[in-house]
Amino acid sequence: MRRFLLPMYLLLAACVPISPNETATRAAFVDTSLPAMKVFSVPRPQVTTASNADIARDFMDLSMGLESGRALDVFTRFEGPITVRLVGEVQPTVPSDLNRLLHRLRNEAGIDIAYTTSDTANITINAVSRANIQRFLPQAACFVVPNVSTFAEYRQARRSNRVNWGRITDRTRLGIFLPNDASPQEARDCLHEELAQALGPLNDLYRLPNSVFNDDNVHTVLTGYDMLILRAYYDPMLRNGMNRTQVMNRIPTILARINPAGEGRPATRLSRTPRPWIEAIQRALGPGSSPNARRAAVNEALSIATAMGWDDHRRGFTHYAMGRILQSTNPEAARHQFLQADAFFARSSETGLHRAYVASQLAAFALSEDRPDEALHLTSTAIDLAAQHENAALLSTLLMLRAEALDLSGRVSAGADVRLDSLGWARYGFGSDWAVRAKLREISALNPLNRARGSL
């Protein structure tokens, strides 16, 4: 189940408050229409640099357990060709995003999977309203269920063992439920996460720095690491119904064959992530917590991370979470937390996207404090990282920040070009026109020139 954590790129507005009924400025848009939506075309997955020893351990933890921490008795997957269909009021971008994903799964993971219109499909993707999803799973943006195809079937079976992942012994039929009233990017993110879970691992691990199989939601499309895990998952040496020992005995041989580069790399053997840290992070960032509860939870998470002696991305993510929570009440303390987060993220070559998120926050501070050159420097590398990882919401945010920094440095024409480029990506990342314009107003409000002119 995809957790409904707050996206990392949506908290820039705390630097300068604005009201929802403010009108746009000259920096926001020049006419009443927005340019056409932009979409990603050629995937650029990063090849994993992890050792096979680490990947084997990750594979076992991902494949033989649930997110709750419960161990699974048997390994389950589909056997034979897999078919996928779409039903419901599907957003216009979903069919093409699904086709791109299926193409990647065939070519990168070697999975025999294809689209169909038949009602006998192995996997049925149901486009339903967010309200319908949250009626049954309030914290989920989307979810996947075994042994059903439609929402009506799920409603009837939802309290039975028929849809209990811990009780299944094979996979033949599954239902995925994704929102049809979310942004195109959120719908696509749900496709990637839920289809990957429908096909393969049911667990998520916070210790993975470069994976969708991680509840931190940093990565939103399947990475090179994820495709390697799925390729191993459907290797002929494994089969449905194997127990843990049988899988564990075969996975080193599989990885040696499909990922020979990982054989000679030293293992990092990151420590396991304790449940109290996971629960504290979820309380801090998930829905339903009061501001005081969020602060208490993130302080608890940071205490645990410090006591564990972490110096990896989990420590960085904890500082980032702290920065987000402090941002509206203590901006200077928040900036300090973002800088600490960046220092920990900088220790690994696999956390470039994490640093791009930090860059968006630090660039917002630089812009609001009349340091355009610093904002331009921070956004320069981050923009390509956001594009490489197909995160249109982050990409458009960074471009908007860069446009304001160019304006502030006197390069108004260049700023207008960058701002125009940001809008097509924003339509994919944020969806509706009002959401795009709200993001423009939010970032425009950071620019001291706009505040000085009294236009906001």
Side-chain angles (χ1 to χ4, degrees):
M1 183 182 71
R2 179 181 173 81
R3 289 205 171 269
F4 209 23
L5 300 187
L6 297 172
M8 296 179 75
Y9 45 77
L10 293 180
L11 284 175
L12 297 171
C15 298
V16 178
I18 61 175
S19 65
N21 59 357
E22 286 167 341
T23 57
T25 69
R26 55 107 189 115
F29 44 88
V30 296
D31 60 29
T32 59
S33 63
L34 295 176
M37 181 186 297
K38 292 188 177 185
V39 296
F40 298 100
S41 54
V42 180
R44 294 191 284 163
Q46 182 180 0
V47 176
T48 183
T49 58
S51 77
N52 280 352
D54 283 331
I55 298 171
R57 176 195 176 208
D58 296 342
F59 185 93
M60 295 305 302
D61 288 347
L62 286 169
S63 305
M64 302 303 296
L66 298 174
E67 292 181 49
S68 64
R70 175 182 173 181
L72 293 172
D73 295 328
V74 295
F75 175 85
T76 62
R77 72 178 190 191
F78 288 98
E79 298 290 352
I82 305 165
T83 53
V84 181
R85 69 167 175 157
L86 277 170
V87 299
E89 296 182 12
V90 179
Q91 292 173 292
T93 54
V94 168
S96 59
D97 282 337
L98 176 60
N99 284 334
R100 291 184 71 240
L101 176 54
L102 295 179
H103 179 79
R104 287 192 62 198
L105 289 167
R106 287 191 294 267
N107 286 272
E108 296 176 43
I111 297 174
D112 187 357
I113 188 168
Y115 182 77
T116 184
T117 57
S118 171
D119 59 6
T120 61
N122 300 112
I123 300 172
T124 299
I125 300 171
N126 297 262
V128 300
S129 70
R130 190 192 301 272
N132 267 332
I133 290 173
Q134 294 185 356
R135 183 185 309 164
F136 299 103
L137 292 170
Q139 290 187 313
C142 41
F143 62 99
V144 58
V145 179
N147 299 321
V148 302
S149 294
T150 66
F151 208 70
E153 283 185 280
Y154 171 65
R155 283 199 302 265
Q156 290 181 337
R158 66 190 184 94
R159 289 190 170 90
S160 70
N161 285 331
R162 176 180 164 195
V163 294
N164 185 336
W165 282 107
R167 297 293 186 91
I168 68 169
T169 56
D170 60 6
R171 301 191 201 184
T172 57
R173 193 165 62 100
L174 293 120
I176 291 174
F177 304 94
L178 75 160
N180 59 13
D181 50 2
S183 70
Q185 177 166 319
E186 185 173 344
R188 181 215 57 190
D189 296 351
C190 280
L191 276 177
H192 278 249
E193 181 157 351
E194 303 308 334
L195 189 53
Q197 193 170 60
L199 294 169
L202 300 172
N203 198 6
D204 284 316
L205 299 173
Y206 275 101
R207 73 168 183 261
L208 304 180
N210 191 21
S211 176
V212 163
F213 297 114
N214 187 328
D215 270 337
D216 63 14
N217 287 350
V218 172
H219 289 276
T220 55
V221 299
L222 291 169
T223 67
Y225 172 93
D226 297 329
M227 289 297 182
L228 179 63
I229 289 291
L230 289 170
R231 180 174 286 275
Y233 209 91
Y234 280 84
D235 191 272
M237 287 185 67
L238 299 180
R239 65 178 183 273
N240 205 49
M242 284 184 167
N243 61 35
R244 183 180 183 87
T245 300
Q246 290 172 317
V247 175
M248 187 166 54
N249 288 341
R250 288 163 175 77
I251 195 62
T253 303
I254 293 170
L255 291 173
R257 174 168 31 83
I258 68 175
N259 188 43
E263 286 295 285
R265 293 175 182 148
T268 57
R269 302 191 186 282
L270 293 181
S271 62
R272 294 187 181 276
T273 309
R275 291 301 306 178
W277 182 88
I278 294 173
E279 291 164 0
I281 285 291
Q282 290 173 351
R283 290 197 306 275
L285 302 181
S289 297
S290 68
N292 287 339
R294 292 187 192 280
R295 284 191 293 271
V298 78
N299 277 314
E300 180 184 349
L302 186 56
S303 295
I304 294 169
T306 304
M308 293 290 294
W310 287 343
D311 61 0
D312 55 54
H313 61 282
R314 292 171 295 181
R315 178 68 179 271
F317 186 74
T318 311
H319 285 290
Y320 195 97
M322 177 76 81
R324 288 168 55 189
I325 288 167
L326 291 174
Q327 200 166 10
S328 61
T329 57
N330 192 338
E332 199 53 45
R335 187 212 308 264
H336 177 68
Q337 292 297 324
F338 292 140
L339 289 168
Q340 285 193 283
D342 190 60
F344 283 103
F345 291 149
R347 300 184 183 193
S348 170
S349 62
E350 293 192 302
T351 49
L353 184 58
H354 297 67
R355 299 194 72 191
Y357 282 117
V358 175
S360 70
Q361 300 291 352
L362 294 176
F365 279 108
L367 180 63
S368 68
E369 294 167 359
D370 201 4
R371 299 194 308 275
D373 289 345
E374 183 179 338
L376 291 171
H377 173 73
L378 285 163
T379 57
S380 59
T381 302
I383 284 170
D384 186 64
L385 285 165
Q388 177 187 344
H389 293 282
E390 301 188 21
N391 192 324
L394 176 60
L395 174 59
S396 62
T397 298
L398 289 163
L399 288 169
M400 289 177 191
L401 287 164
R402 189 170 184 84
E404 293 297 334
L406 288 166
D407 282 356
L408 190 56
S409 63
R411 289 173 278 177
V412 176
S413 178
D417 290 341
V418 173
R419 186 174 297 106
L420 184 63
D421 188 31
S422 77
L423 297 179
W425 295 116
R427 294 193 68 185
Y428 185 87
F430 297 108
S432 61
D433 287 1
W434 70 262
V436 173
R437 290 179 171 124
K439 178 56 65 173
L440 278 167
R441 289 196 300 270
E442 176 185 324
I443 293 178
S444 179
L446 298 170
N447 189 332
L449 288 177
N450 294 333
R451 300 202 301 274
R453 291 168 181 163
S455 57
L456 281 167

